Amino acid sequence: MGPMDGIRNIVILTGAGISAESGIDTFRGGGGQSGLGLWEQHRVEDVATPEAFARDPNLVLRFYDMRRAAVQEKLPNPAHDALARLDAKWKGGLLIVTQNVDDLHERSGASRVLHMHGEHLNAWCTWCDTRSRWTGPLVERPPCPVCGACALRPDVVWFGEMPYRMDEIYAALRSADLFVSIGTSGAVYPAAGFVQTARDLGVRTLELNLERSQGSEWFHETRLGPASEVVPAWVDEMLG
Ligand code: APR
């Protein structure tokens, strides 16, 4: 009996590290194209808070317009592809909870994906509270396709805002047999706390990351290496 025997329900948390080898910058530390974390090039409080949006909406909209354009040029890497393979073949419950706002899990074919921090390719109308798929810029204040109000903002969860669908995530953790964290620094709550919740619930925990993260000691097991290598290897193991 290996440690992965008897596993039925799996919750996978992904972070910026899984998209780094697709050329999307991570937020903290190396990875991505420039080797600089995104938050080292921009102050978080200037672009990723509701206060920043109220103070200088053009700056914030332009920042997200650039990011939205950039992700559409990127392609999924072998780590996304491996998770899509697991999603297609895994007979038990599977949920990919991603902190990422790119759509690389979906583009590699994964179907069970929950975006807890929102999505670059959605615009949220703050007037009629609907979300519309959005691939172009927002800085010109285009009208909402549903109500016509010029009140669209990026559908991205900013610091100080509540992540999406937390009830569903905790419900999935309660019925999980295995929690796997991939490519996240464990710096941002509530996602950083999922491993502790899982431990409290008696769920087995595994971390796949380039380097040890802030929460590494909480995991039963940590496997270090680039996501494009360690994720396909783990998926092969799971699928036998
Ligand atoms: N393979 C695996 N892991 C990698 C790779 C790689 N090729 N490159 C980098 N990493 C790891 C880094 O070592 C780091 O631990 O990915 C992690 C990225 O951490 P962050 O940049 O902090 O990204 P993330 O954890 O997703 O950030 C969480 O913070 O700013 C907010 O809302 C934003 O969703 C984001 C949240």
Side-chain angles (χ1 to χ4, degrees):
M1 284 271 285
M4 296 297 165
D5 290 336
I7 304 285
R8 225 191 109 66
N9 295 327
I10 307 174
V11 175
I12 299 169
L13 173 70
T14 65
I18 198 168
S19 295
E21 289 163 89
S22 293
I24 298 179
D25 285 339
T26 59
F27 296 96
R28 299 165 190 84
Q33 234 167 14
S34 68
L36 266 183
L38 185 64
W39 295 150
E40 290 159 27
Q41 302 165 52
H42 301 268
R43 285 163 23 117
V44 173
E45 53 273 30
D46 287 342
V47 291
T49 63
E51 292 83 357
F53 188 51
R55 193 184 328 116
D56 193 347
N58 286 331
L59 175 81
V60 172
L61 291 173
R62 266 198 303 272
F63 173 78
Y64 284 97
D65 284 354
M66 275 169 48
R67 302 277 297 163
R68 191 179 312 104
V71 296
Q72 294 176 73
E73 314 259 290
K74 310 299 182 189
L75 295 171
N77 68 58
H80 299 102
D81 293 344
L83 292 188
R85 195 153 51 84
L86 186 66
D87 175 272
K89 294 194 176 149
W90 189 250
K91 300 278 184 255
L94 179 92
L95 179 64
I96 298 171
V97 176
T98 187
Q99 300 169 87
N100 298 344
V101 290
D102 65 54
D103 64 338
L104 297 183
H105 284 305
E106 287 88 344
R107 274 201 270 145
S108 70
S111 59
R112 296 177 271 186
V113 183
L114 185 163
H115 283 271
M116 65 178 291
H117 290 166
E119 298 177 54
H120 268 321
L121 299 186
N122 271 353
W124 172 23
C125 177
T126 55
W127 185 252
C128 72
D129 194 26
T130 57
R131 277 141 175 109
S132 303
R133 186 173 158 83
W134 204 269
T135 53
L138 288 173
V139 72
E140 310 295 348
R141 307 302 197 285
C144 167
V146 179
C147 75
C150 296
L152 295 171
R153 61 160 268 186
D155 188 18
V156 165
V157 175
W158 287 324
F159 286 93
E161 297 183 322
M162 200 64 83
Y164 298 155
R165 300 167 67 182
M166 294 302 296
D167 292 352
E168 277 171 74
I169 298 170
Y170 285 117
L173 284 173
R174 279 194 293 276
S175 61
D177 304 302
L178 174 65
F179 170 73
V180 187
S181 169
I182 304 174
T184 175
S185 62
V188 174
Y189 282 82
F194 292 166
V195 60
Q196 298 170 43
T197 305
R199 289 296 294 254
D200 290 345
L201 291 164
V203 178
R204 198 170 164 79
T205 55
L206 168 67
E207 172 178 52
L208 308 176
N209 207 37
L210 189 59
E211 59 202 2
R212 289 181 70 79
S213 66
Q214 294 190 25
S216 274
E217 66 272 23
W218 284 96
F219 290 87
H220 290 105
E221 190 190 345
T222 295
R223 299 183 189 176
L224 300 181
S228 65
E229 292 170 21
V230 292
V231 178
W234 170 70
V235 167
D236 287 345
E237 197 179 306
M238 293 307 290
L239 293 175

